[in-house]
Amino acid sequence: MSNDSSKLMLENKSVWERADAKLRERYFGFAKEYAGFLDVGRTERLAVDRLKELAEQQGFLPVEKVKSWKAGQKIYAINRGKNIFLAVLGQEPLENGANLVASHLDVPRLDLKQRPLYQDDELGQALLRTHYYGGVKKYQWVNIPLGLYGKVILRDGREVDLAIGHDDDDPCFVITDILPHLNKKDQADRKSGETIKGEELVVLCGGIPVDDAEAKSRVKLAVLEHLNKKYGMDEEDLISSEIEMVPLIKSRFIGFDRSFLGGYGHDDRICSYTSVRAIFDVKDPMRTVVAACVDKEEIGSEGNTGMQAMFLWNFLGDLMALNKPDYSEAALRRCLSHTRVLSADTNAAVEPNFKGVHEMSNAGRAGYGIMMVKYTGHAGKSGASDANAEFVGRVRKIFNDNNIPWQCGAMGKVDEGGGGTVAKFLARLGMEVLDCGPAVMSLHSPFEVVSVADIYVSYQGYLAFYQAG
Ligand code: MN
Ligand code: MN
């Protein structure tokens, strides 16, 4: 009988223990490139623009420009500026299915309301009303510099893109908070979920009135005059806009040893970036490989840019048409049901202060590799996609065969809470799907934290999955 417990028992091991100096250098180099992407792609639209630029440098062509099927051909498609889909055509017919890695580019933030601008007359301040997007702890969004990003459609149809705060000499915006000296009655006794309430997420945006002493709301008017002079906008134009208030905190390495990377939007731009970088490095795949970076995951994958929309179906249909212009509906359905998917999304990593919400044998740790999550959901696996054993076995084998450090786990203790991903929407199409991505600390905060090692390991894991037969 063998006494070698390492062969029988599954043990968690830090990625750093397996990485020599050369590999560590690669981790840091890759993390730096990723940090650059995170700081440029602060909204889903900007992230799509940057990924498109990188894809074009790698020879990817827009799907409309490709006229016939050629194995190795690199193709991309963009949906409404908020999704990007990339593919490398395989040697096998697409009817056999694709290897797909699906991630999301939207991140929790504060959206402006449709009529956001008002003046507090007693203070002589102009303010913007917001409605938060996705799951946020509202108290985390005060007292930090915010940028104003988005698109406005003017009365005459012209489009204006805003990114105020993006450049270092730009002004920024902020939600102010009460000082500790005076918060005893009005704030300190509130429950933490109400420390700042939804309607209190109002953004300071102006304080100088127009000269005209007779005018009403003179500070608000001054803001509107500024917007008009600079962008040709008036107040009604804000009705047809999508404006996001986004933290301006830049990505920074953390710790004496720089072992972590802090930044805004790891969930889930880390998976979008690593899955796209991985598809760039796929060479002559047997099966067609696809990276899908979508929007609206944080609010349930709804709308025509969310994973529940038909865009992926349409994109695969466009690829089928390259193979066979008169392909049948049945052939496309076979492609869908033979497609294998990693739902590339971040999961919770245990924090030193709140271990109690996790069951430690089934919890994610930052720096312990890509996390395989068989099921998400909450309370009795409700709402989970729940990958089948066969597919978990396949992915596990791919990772083991390629020496990809992995861990497995769930979001928290049974009945503690939960969450979901795009997995179930792809499973509905008949695809095999497993949730798989890095574990993140301070998830959904304005400054999320990942292990530098897990960034590179995610890239390696997605690359190995794409290339598996
Ligand atoms: Mn996510
Ligand atoms: Mn999320």
Side-chain angles (χ1 to χ4, degrees):
M1 244 178 79
S2 165
N3 288 324
D4 187 355
S5 68
S6 69
K7 286 215 175 90
L8 294 177
M9 281 201 272
L10 171 59
E11 275 162 15
N12 282 318
K13 203 170 173 189
S14 159
V15 178
W16 295 107
E17 296 198 40
R18 305 168 49 163
D20 60 16
K22 216 173 142 196
L23 202 47
R24 289 179 184 203
E25 203 177 305
R26 218 178 296 163
Y27 291 173
F28 284 107
F30 194 92
K32 220 169 168 190
E33 289 167 18
Y34 165 60
F37 165 72
L38 215 51
D39 291 343
V40 170
R42 287 207 171 261
T43 65
E44 57 279 21
R45 287 179 194 267
L46 292 174
V48 164
D49 290 348
R50 180 66 184 142
L51 293 177
K52 171 178 172 238
E53 196 178 4
L54 293 173
E56 284 177 344
Q57 287 166 12
Q58 296 288 326
F60 281 74
L61 294 176
V63 68
E64 338 41 277
K65 287 210 173 145
V66 179
K67 298 293 172 222
S68 64
W69 184 279
K70 197 178 86 209
Q73 176 74 56
K74 300 167 176 179
I75 297 176
Y76 74 84
I78 288 175
N79 178 18
R80 295 174 168 84
K82 299 180 197 170
N83 300 167
I84 184 165
F85 289 68
L86 301 102
V88 181
L89 301 183
Q91 294 169 43
E92 290 180 10
L94 186 55
E95 208 172 313
N96 294 1
N99 289 352
L100 166 69
V101 181
S103 63
H104 67 92
L105 288 168
D106 59 316
V107 172
R109 64 197 186 230
L110 310 176
D111 287 345
L112 291 196
K113 288 191 182 182
Q114 284 208 289
R115 291 190 66 181
L117 183 62
Y118 73 101
Q119 173 170 327
D120 185 314
D121 288 327
E122 289 172 306
L123 304 177
Q125 292 176 356
L127 298 139
L128 295 163
R129 290 196 171 95
T130 66
H131 193 145
Y132 63 96
Y133 172 97
V136 299
K137 287 156 83 174
K138 300 178 194 81
Y139 69 81
Q140 294 180 330
W141 295 74
V142 299
N143 301 330
I144 56 169
L146 297 169
L148 186 152
Y149 288 79
K151 190 177 270 296
V152 185
I153 309 303
L154 304 187
R155 203 178 280 277
D156 61 7
R158 272 185 304 136
E159 295 185 11
V160 175
D161 289 307
L162 300 172
I164 305 167
H166 197 71
D167 293 328
D168 287 341
D169 354 330
D170 282 354
C172 71
F173 303 85
V174 73
I175 297 166
T176 59
D177 192 11
I178 189 172
L179 63 171
H181 315 61
L182 290 178
N183 85 332
K184 302 277 182 293
K185 277 192 236 147
D186 270 14
Q187 191 186 48
D189 290 341
R190 294 183 183 183
K191 288 189 169 169
S192 86
E194 295 189 337
T195 302
I196 295 290
K197 297 178 188 174
E199 289 291 349
E200 292 169 345
L201 292 168
V202 294
V203 179
L204 183 61
C205 74
I208 305 177
V210 293
D211 286 338
D212 179 2
E214 302 299 304
K216 272 191 187 157
S217 299
R218 292 166 60 212
V219 182
K220 173 178 170 177
L221 189 57
V223 169
L224 287 170
E225 280 186 359
H226 169 79
L227 291 175
N228 188 260
K229 209 167 137 202
K230 194 144 184 197
Y231 308 104
M233 283 166 57
D234 59 48
E235 191 174 14
E236 190 183 304
D237 291 325
L238 291 169
I239 302 290
S240 48
S241 74
E242 284 178 318
I243 300 179
E244 309 176 8
M245 304 305 304
V246 170
L248 291 174
I249 307 166
K250 284 203 170 146
S251 308
R252 299 287 292 262
F253 285 99
I254 295 170
F256 295 113
D257 55 6
R258 299 172 174 251
S259 51
F260 298 94
L261 183 75
Y264 168 68
H266 288 318
D267 176 12
D268 184 33
R269 291 178 191 146
I270 188 172
C271 294
S272 301
Y273 184 77
T274 52
S275 64
V276 167
R277 281 289 301 265
I279 209 170
F280 291 166
D281 293 337
V282 170
K283 297 276 175 293
D284 298 322
M286 286 303 290
R287 286 159 66 83
T288 295
V289 298
V290 179
C293 307
V294 299
D295 179 33
K296 298 282 183 279
E297 191 279 339
E298 297 294 356
I299 57 168
S301 299
E302 311 286 351
N304 58 13
T305 56
M307 195 48 109
Q308 295 198 67
M310 289 293 286
F311 197 80
L312 174 63
W313 185 303
N314 296 344
F315 180 63
L316 291 171
D318 285 343
L319 300 186
M320 290 286 280
L322 295 176
N323 214 341
K324 227 185 189 185
D326 57 344
Y327 74 88
S328 67
E329 165 93 12
L332 178 57
R333 285 174 183 269
R334 273 194 292 277
C335 163
L336 295 173
S337 62
H338 291 141
T339 288
R340 301 174 191 141
V341 186
L342 292 186
S343 164
D345 207 341
T346 56
N347 207 290
V350 178
E351 333 266 344
N353 281 332
F354 291 98
K355 288 183 183 166
V357 302
H358 299 278
E359 180 271 287
M360 291 299 284
S361 298
N362 289 282
R365 291 163 173 78
Y368 281 68
I370 193 165
M371 191 170 167
M372 287 189 271
V373 182
K374 187 176 181 299
Y375 50 88
T376 58
H378 58 275
K381 296 191 174 182
S382 182
S385 166
D386 209 0
N388 63 45
E390 292 87 340
F391 190 58
V392 180
R394 177 186 285 276
V395 175
R396 170 188 162 210
K397 185 165 188 314
I398 293 169
F399 288 171
N400 282 342
D401 289 349
N402 290 278
N403 288 315
I404 310 296
W406 57 264
Q407 56 183 328
C408 66
M411 185 163 257
K413 272 183 179 164
V414 175
D415 290 339
E416 191 70 48
T421 65
V422 299
K424 61 180 174 182
F425 306 115
L426 296 169
R428 194 180 284 168
L429 301 177
M431 299 175 176
E432 292 285 7
V433 190
L434 176 64
D435 278 297
C436 202
V440 175
M441 295 196 284
S442 300
L443 197 72
H444 282 208
S445 79
F447 191 66
E448 300 177 317
V449 177
V450 293
S451 162
V452 164
D454 291 340
I455 304 168
Y456 191 75
V457 167
S458 300
Y459 154 82
Q460 287 180 301
Y462 300 142
L463 180 58
F465 176 77
Y466 285 136
Q467 284 181 322

